[in-house]
Amino acid sequence: MGRYLAKRLLYLIPVMLGVSIVTFGLINLAPGDPAELILRSGGVEPTREAVEALREELGLNDPVYIQYGRWLWNAAHLDLGKSFRTGRPVAEEILSRFPATLELTCAAMVFMISLALPAGILSALYRRAFLDHLSRLCALLGASLPGFWLGLVLIYLFAVKLGLLPVMGRGGWRHLVLPAVALGFGLAAVYARILRAGMLDVLGQDYIRVARAKGLKEKWVIGRHALKNALLPAVTLLGMSFGHLLGGAVIVETIFAWPGVGKFAVDSIFNRDYPVIQGYALFMAVVFVLVNLLVDVSYVFLDPRVRLERGK
């Protein structure tokens, strides 16, 4: 296991280098002079002399590869620069908002699993019955509806019309409900379909027939034998989904004024706050890669066949 982990961690190095190159390159191709933006955000008239002096001070007149090397070296030491807008360190700004995004993402994951698990199982057990058709219809709707549109509908129904839940902001669990549903509903539909397909495949296996022939209760056949194996493909995709939810939170956080990293990134894009955009992209890439690493490790524990393969 130690060797496997070390190998996976080594794989992260070229991945993160690639992400850093793309991020740095795209930001440098964006229109606008960062020195001019800094001066304007500080209320200073961006004269030619002032812009040139600030560019020299920030090292923006250096060749691109030197700027990239300097930025990468600082990033490796957790120094992502300072925000043009707030003047605070980017790493500090991101880390102060990340708990809110993580809270929203975890709530969306809980909602997604709570909805997808029973829907997938019931759909497989009552194949081609009413429950199966209803589940498939809901899955189709869930996969088709954009998260931002669903968020607006939820606000209109449950906040404006019925007044049951708050419209925006972060407070208690009531503030979490609507953004978590808007964020997790689409993926719940996808997972319900994956789980249904996995259950149908497993329920047709010989060991399930043997378990039933032995007189084992149906709930044990489903819970202990079928569900565990049917969950494996879904668990594999869980890490990617977590990253997808973190990224998708950008729009939902903006709609619900959720004070997370996503909303901060959107505000920074509108204000052309390049250090924040670079830092956000790099930070989210690191989180995405680490979550997928954890999922890979958990998959080794869940499936003995994977352990056997790693041992060869």
Side-chain angles (χ1 to χ4, degrees):
M1 177 56 74
R3 188 176 176 184
Y4 171 67
L5 276 176
K7 189 186 291 184
R8 290 306 307 268
L9 287 172
L10 283 176
Y11 288 161
L12 298 185
I13 296 175
V15 172
M16 295 314 304
L17 278 175
V19 170
S20 67
I21 291 171
V22 171
T23 304
F24 186 84
L26 287 178
I27 294 298
N28 274 270
L29 289 174
D33 191 329
E36 188 178 330
L37 291 173
I38 294 174
L39 291 172
R40 287 189 186 281
S41 63
V44 179
E45 182 63 26
T47 61
R48 178 180 293 180
E49 293 76 16
V51 170
E52 189 58 32
L54 188 56
R55 286 186 62 85
E56 192 64 34
E57 181 185 338
L58 296 175
L60 296 175
N61 290 329
D62 294 335
V64 174
Y65 64 90
I66 292 181
Q67 293 183 46
Y68 169 71
R70 186 166 51 228
W71 177 76
L72 190 62
W73 174 260
N74 291 334
H77 292 80
L78 303 181
D79 180 6
L80 298 174
K82 289 187 177 180
S83 166
F84 292 168
R85 193 156 50 99
T86 66
R88 295 179 60 196
V90 172
E92 193 177 307
E93 292 276 20
I94 290 176
L95 290 177
S96 68
R97 290 170 172 80
F98 186 63
T101 298
L102 192 61
E103 180 184 325
L104 176 59
T105 303
C106 290
M109 289 283 283
V110 170
F111 169 76
M112 180 190 79
I113 293 170
S114 304
L115 188 63
L117 202 60
I121 294 173
L122 290 175
S123 185
L125 292 179
Y126 298 98
R127 187 183 182 189
R128 294 175 184 169
F130 173 73
L131 276 176
D132 186 24
H133 292 305
L134 181 63
S135 170
R136 292 167 69 179
L137 178 63
C138 291
L140 182 62
L141 284 174
S144 307
L145 297 178
F148 70 89
W149 185 86
L150 182 61
L152 294 175
V153 171
L154 291 173
I155 288 176
Y156 179 74
L157 288 179
F158 294 97
V160 178
K161 281 292 182 185
L162 300 176
L164 296 175
L165 295 166
V167 179
M168 56 184 63
R170 185 189 181 201
W173 65 269
R174 296 177 73 247
H175 289 80
L176 260 177
V177 175
L178 294 184
V181 172
L183 191 59
F185 190 72
L187 274 178
V190 174
Y191 270 82
R193 304 310 300 157
I194 292 174
L195 194 57
R196 176 185 182 273
M199 284 292 292
L200 288 176
D201 181 53
V202 172
L203 289 174
Q205 298 294 321
D206 290 340
Y207 65 90
I208 295 294
R209 296 193 192 95
V210 171
R212 283 173 170 161
K214 285 181 177 179
L216 204 62
K217 290 183 178 178
E218 188 66 13
K219 64 179 181 182
W220 292 111
V221 173
I222 300 301
R224 282 199 170 184
H225 299 285
L227 184 58
K228 182 181 176 183
N229 292 313
L231 279 175
L232 289 175
V235 171
T236 308
L237 293 173
L238 210 57
M240 294 181 68
S241 301
F242 193 79
H244 177 79
L245 288 174
L246 282 172
V250 170
I251 298 173
V252 175
E253 284 181 4
T254 304
I255 292 173
F256 289 93
W258 189 263
V261 183
K263 185 176 183 304
F264 183 56
V266 171
D267 293 341
S268 302
I269 290 171
F270 283 121
N271 289 284
R272 294 185 181 180
D273 198 342
Y274 295 144
V276 173
I277 301 170
Q278 284 177 324
Y280 170 78
L282 192 64
F283 178 77
M284 296 306 287
V286 170
V287 172
F288 187 83
V289 168
L290 289 179
V291 168
N292 276 279
L293 175 64
L294 288 176
V295 172
D296 281 352
V297 172
S298 69
Y299 197 63
V300 171
F301 286 104
L302 283 172
D303 191 347
R305 292 169 297 180
V306 176
R307 278 203 298 273
L308 185 62
E309 186 181 338
R310 304 293 182 198
K312 284 181 179 178

